[in-house]
Amino acid sequence: MLQRDYTTSQLDVLEAEAIHIMREVAAEFERPCLLFSGGKDSIVMLRIAEKAFWPAPIPFPLMHVDTGHNFAEVIEFRDRRAQELGARLVVASVQDSIDAGRVAEETGRRASRNRLQTTTLLDAIEDNEYDAVFGGARRDEEKARAKERVFSFRDDFGQWDPKNQRPELWNLYNARIRKGEHIRVFPLSNWTELDIWDYIRREGIEIPSIYYAHTRKVFERDGMLLADSEFITRDEDEPLVEMTVRYRTVGDVTCTGAVQSVAATVEEIIEEIAATRLTERGATRADDRASEASMEDRKREGYF
């Protein structure tokens, strides 16, 4: 007698849930878009979008909020991947926001454009009249993200109120909004960093080279390894050293730290992550080394 195995893996369940969410958004909203930075989470979201609508093209544009202080390898990957898929890429520029007087450039040793992205993002959503915005946030990143729903309602100022969120009953989502309001949608809410890498391995997904171990000039600041860059001002007590490092996440070069690593393959990265007790953002994001309350304040303002 022929025996069949009908078991469903954890990745299959997560993928099916994310596909359902994307199709729900495409069906219920008029002008959705997908935030695509070239980072691993948005790369996985992009693969989910491919599967959700194949063989048709992805029915919404990709958008990147570009600080202008990014890793060159990631920007090259972003542009190439969008071109390969024939997807429309909208680049919202923080530099344009600075030039227009919408935000003020930070100065000093710890100057960063990361916080300035909020204004640029909200302006781009309003200008393009997007009513749903896919983000790659996962609930294992930090406590403030864990308070959000899959459909995260934002008012007409782009603000998030954790005490006024809509209930989500099983996989039933409330997509009703008024003009000017929008929904941030998080298809990867139930994924972990390890799930992301397991999925990248299973699907054979290409990722930017900086996720793998490589030699780079870095310096230590506040217990983190920051890359040598024209956008960062180093002090005399911050000498450059050449180390073998990789990045667990990508973002603005001024606040994204590297970790010492010799993991040069996806399999080695998975082994490394499975063994570590240090969270992704705690290890690599200087701007996220803040209190839970501080992160909530940033999200209330319209932060990612």
Side-chain angles (χ1 to χ4, degrees):
M1 181 177 179
L2 183 63
Q3 293 184 341
R4 294 183 175 87
D5 183 3
Y6 292 105
T7 58
T8 303
S9 72
Q10 169 74 357
L11 286 183
D12 288 334
V13 172
L14 291 172
E15 180 189 69
E17 177 187 53
I19 286 175
H20 167 73
I21 291 167
M22 286 202 170
R23 288 174 175 169
E24 187 79 4
V25 168
E28 294 205 45
F29 291 90
E30 294 183 4
R31 295 180 63 85
C33 77
L34 186 149
L35 291 176
F36 181 66
S37 64
K40 66 182 185 307
D41 297 323
S42 62
I43 290 171
V44 167
M45 272 207 308
L46 196 57
R47 173 57 61 89
I48 296 294
E50 286 184 79
K51 287 193 170 186
F53 305 105
W54 181 263
I58 297 173
F60 38 74
L62 316 181
M63 180 168 70
H64 181 214
V65 181
D66 187 354
T67 67
H69 295 171
N70 297 290
F71 293 93
E73 302 96 321
V74 179
I75 296 302
E76 183 278 330
F77 179 90
R78 177 202 71 183
D79 294 343
R80 176 166 54 82
R81 193 72 188 101
Q83 185 176 25
E84 288 171 353
L85 291 173
R88 184 165 70 91
L89 177 64
V90 176
V91 178
S93 168
V94 171
Q95 184 62 57
D96 289 347
S97 297
I98 294 171
D99 294 342
R102 294 283 293 150
V103 293
E105 181 88 78
E106 294 183 6
T107 59
R109 176 171 174 264
R110 299 179 184 277
S112 173
R113 289 184 172 183
N114 204 49
R115 291 185 66 97
L116 307 184
Q117 293 180 89
T118 299
T119 298
T120 306
L121 171 63
L122 294 178
D123 286 348
I125 291 172
E126 182 178 2
D127 292 345
N128 291 281
E129 298 183 335
Y130 294 136
D131 51 5
V133 180
F134 288 107
R138 308 184 319 268
R139 287 175 182 167
D140 70 327
E141 291 181 285
E142 39 81 14
K143 292 180 180 179
R145 290 204 189 277
K147 293 183 178 181
E148 282 194 289
R149 304 285 194 264
V150 173
F151 274 35
S152 182
F153 172 77
R154 304 300 170 100
D155 64 20
D156 52 0
F157 294 102
Q159 296 175 324
W160 171 68
D161 183 359
K163 295 181 180 180
N164 192 31
Q165 296 190 92
R166 298 168 174 178
E168 289 183 350
L169 305 175
W170 302 286
N171 60 350
L172 302 177
Y173 304 108
N174 186 343
R176 294 185 179 181
I177 57 173
R178 299 185 179 91
K179 187 173 179 59
E181 300 170 342
H182 72 277
I183 299 288
R184 304 282 175 89
V185 184
F186 302 112
L188 307 182
S189 284
N190 292 321
W191 297 54
T192 65
E193 183 185 8
L194 196 55
D195 291 328
I196 293 292
W197 283 107
D198 280 337
Y199 191 76
I200 288 171
R201 174 175 60 180
R202 189 185 82 171
E203 298 289 309
I205 300 174
E206 181 188 359
I207 55 174
S209 60
I210 66 171
Y211 279 112
Y212 299 111
H214 59 283
T215 301
R216 185 182 290 265
K217 289 183 178 180
V218 297
F219 66 95
E220 185 173 349
R221 175 180 291 175
D222 300 331
M224 299 184 65
L225 299 175
L226 296 178
D228 180 30
S229 169
E230 62 180 307
F231 306 120
I232 304 178
T233 302
R234 287 187 299 110
D235 286 347
E236 293 180 358
D237 62 345
E238 296 176 324
L240 283 176
V241 294
E242 197 169 81
M243 301 178 68
T244 301
V245 300
R246 74 175 192 86
Y247 288 85
R248 287 176 68 180
T249 187
V250 298
D252 191 293
V253 70
T254 62
C255 60
T256 304
V259 295
Q260 284 188 271
S261 174
V262 295
T265 66
V266 173
E267 288 75 16
E268 290 172 346
I269 290 172
I270 289 173
E271 290 179 10
E272 183 180 271
I273 293 171
T276 188
R277 292 184 176 275
L278 196 57
T279 64
E280 172 189 342
R281 300 185 80 82
T284 62
R285 293 299 294 269
D287 59 319
D288 286 346
R289 288 189 169 187
S291 68
E292 177 187 352
S294 176
M295 279 300 298
E296 271 199 29
D297 288 342
R298 293 171 65 189
K299 292 182 72 59
R300 288 174 189 268
E301 296 169 0
Y303 186 74
F304 293 90

